[in-house]
């Protein structure tokens, strides 16, 4: 495999999957900084193993990525038990260091902050499907494939997650 | 002003998606590249550093011409 082909494959994987993988990590950890670290570590491993990835059938390559992603999350939780600084961030659940687009109004920004807290308070299993849909832009079937759940279960969990968010935000001017 | 849950979720997603610079930085880190682009300030600093040398070469004494003379090269 020529270096240019390797980089081309890497760039293709990165373009196709970075958004959904960030959503996967964010859904699992509720910590954007940690999710970014994990995303970087994942693509570092992908680049180191690019020949292994290249040898896989194209339709199986994303399985490899999500398999490594799951292992990274498990490793992170294990390290958390050992008290690593990186995973202590997982417990702090600090607000994401992000900036709203300029057109966002102050009221809307406050509502998004409330929504953010509500998303963090969802049970893991509901949060990850919601974040994969909303941020990762994945369909129920794709989420089911990523998480190893039937698409019907994913649809039910998405409905549950949205209902909980609506309940949590009730009282806010959210319809 | 009211926002639907879908609107708020879309804003939340925008807020959490990778920015362009984060995308480039993660990619560069994974590939082992330097993600720090050369800034105008860096170029200015380099020119400032080289200015005394270029001034000698191109200045009134034309050091470059002197160095090109055969006897200067032999010396």
């Amino acid at each position: 495999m020529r270096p240019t082909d390797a980089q081309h494959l890497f760039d293709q994987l990165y373009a196709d999957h970075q958004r959904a993988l960030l959503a996967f990590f964010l859904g699992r950890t509720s910590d954007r900084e940690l999710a970014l670290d994990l995303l970087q570590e994942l693509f570092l491993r992908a680049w180191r193993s690019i020949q292994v990835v290249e040898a896989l059938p194209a339709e199986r390559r994303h399985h490899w990525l999500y398999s490594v992603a799951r292992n990274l999350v498990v490793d992170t939780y294990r390290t958390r038990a050992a008290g690593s600084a990186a995973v202590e961030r997982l417990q702090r659940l600090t607000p994401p260091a992000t900036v709203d687009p300029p057109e966002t109004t102050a009221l809307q920004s406050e509502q998004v902050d409330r929504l953010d807290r509500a998303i963090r308070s969802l049970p893991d299993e509901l949060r990850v499907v919601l974040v994969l849909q909303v941020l990762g832009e994945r369909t129920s079937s794709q989420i089911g494939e990523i998480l190893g759940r039937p698409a019907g279960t994913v649809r039910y969990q998405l409905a549950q997650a949205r209902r909980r968010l609506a309940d949590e935000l009730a009282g806010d001017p959210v319809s | 002003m009211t926002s639907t849950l879908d609107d708020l979720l879309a804003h939340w997603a925008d807020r959490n998606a990778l920015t362009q610079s984060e995308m480039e930085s993660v990619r560069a880190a994974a590939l082992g590249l330097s993600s720090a682009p050369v800034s105008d300030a860096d170029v200015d600093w380099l020119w400032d550093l080289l200015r005394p040398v270029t001034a000698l070469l191109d200045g009134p004494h034309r050091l470059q011409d002197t160095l090109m003379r055969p006897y200067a090269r032999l010396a």
Side-chain angles (χ1 to χ4, degrees):
Chain A
M1 189 180 195
R2 291 180 306 167
T4 50
D5 292 341
Q7 191 154 325
H8 179 72
L9 173 59
F10 176 90
D11 284 338
Q12 189 70 52
L13 290 170
Y14 190 60
D16 290 348
H17 299 290
Q18 55 85 11
R19 192 174 172 107
L21 283 161
L22 176 70
F24 176 81
F25 287 131
L26 189 60
R28 284 293 187 209
T29 66
S30 280
D31 182 328
R32 190 172 183 279
E33 287 303 308
L34 180 57
L36 266 179
D37 289 347
L38 292 172
L39 186 71
Q40 183 169 307
E41 178 62 28
L42 169 63
F43 278 102
L44 183 67
R45 292 186 188 193
W47 177 237
R48 285 183 187 151
S49 306
I50 199 70
Q51 292 191 331
V52 173
V53 178
E54 197 261 342
L56 295 170
E59 70 277 7
R60 302 286 305 169
R61 287 174 186 154
H62 70 283
H63 291 285
W64 186 93
L65 287 172
Y66 282 98
S67 162
V68 176
R70 276 189 289 274
N71 288 338
L72 280 172
V73 172
V74 171
D75 288 349
T76 300
Y77 277 99
R78 278 199 195 122
T79 317
R80 175 190 190 180
S84 109
V87 186
E88 280 170 13
R89 288 210 297 259
L90 189 67
Q91 297 167 306
R92 290 206 306 270
L93 300 180
T94 50
T98 51
V99 177
D100 284 317
E103 67 273 17
T104 307
T105 65
L107 173 60
Q108 208 163 33
S109 176
E110 195 180 307
Q111 289 175 324
V112 176
D113 286 344
R114 282 200 67 184
L115 176 66
D116 187 63
R117 287 194 293 275
I119 290 173
R120 287 160 189 269
S121 71
L122 287 173
D124 272 12
E125 297 310 294
L126 298 187
R127 187 175 57 242
V128 72
V129 293
L130 182 85
V131 178
L132 274 167
Q133 185 198 43
V134 172
L135 175 61
E137 299 177 334
R138 291 307 190 247
T139 64
S140 303
S141 305
Q142 290 168 329
I143 296 169
E145 198 185 341
I146 290 166
L147 301 175
R149 299 175 198 172
T153 304
V154 171
R155 279 191 286 276
Y156 173 72
Q157 289 177 323
L158 282 171
Q160 265 195 317
R162 295 173 73 93
R163 197 174 309 122
R164 284 193 187 215
L165 291 181
D167 289 346
E168 192 73 29
L169 296 172
D172 243 14
V174 176
S175 55
Chain B
M1 178 190 155
T2 59
S3 300
T4 65
L5 183 57
D6 282 335
D7 289 340
L8 291 178
L9 284 169
H11 278 290
W12 181 88
D14 286 346
R15 195 193 255 197
N16 283 282
L18 290 186
T19 63
Q20 192 61 36
S21 73
E22 285 171 337
M23 272 187 74
E24 285 163 13
S25 149
V26 168
R27 177 184 175 277
L31 291 174
L33 307 171
S34 166
S35 62
V38 177
S39 71
D40 289 346
D42 292 338
V43 174
D44 290 344
W45 175 83
L46 185 60
W47 277 117
D48 283 347
L49 194 67
L50 292 175
R51 188 164 296 128
V53 179
T54 54
L56 274 176
L57 292 173
D58 299 332
H61 302 296
R62 305 287 304 164
L63 183 59
Q64 186 167 356
D65 292 345
T66 307
L67 290 173
M68 294 298 286
R69 287 179 200 143
Y71 64 82
R73 273 187 280 167
L74 287 173

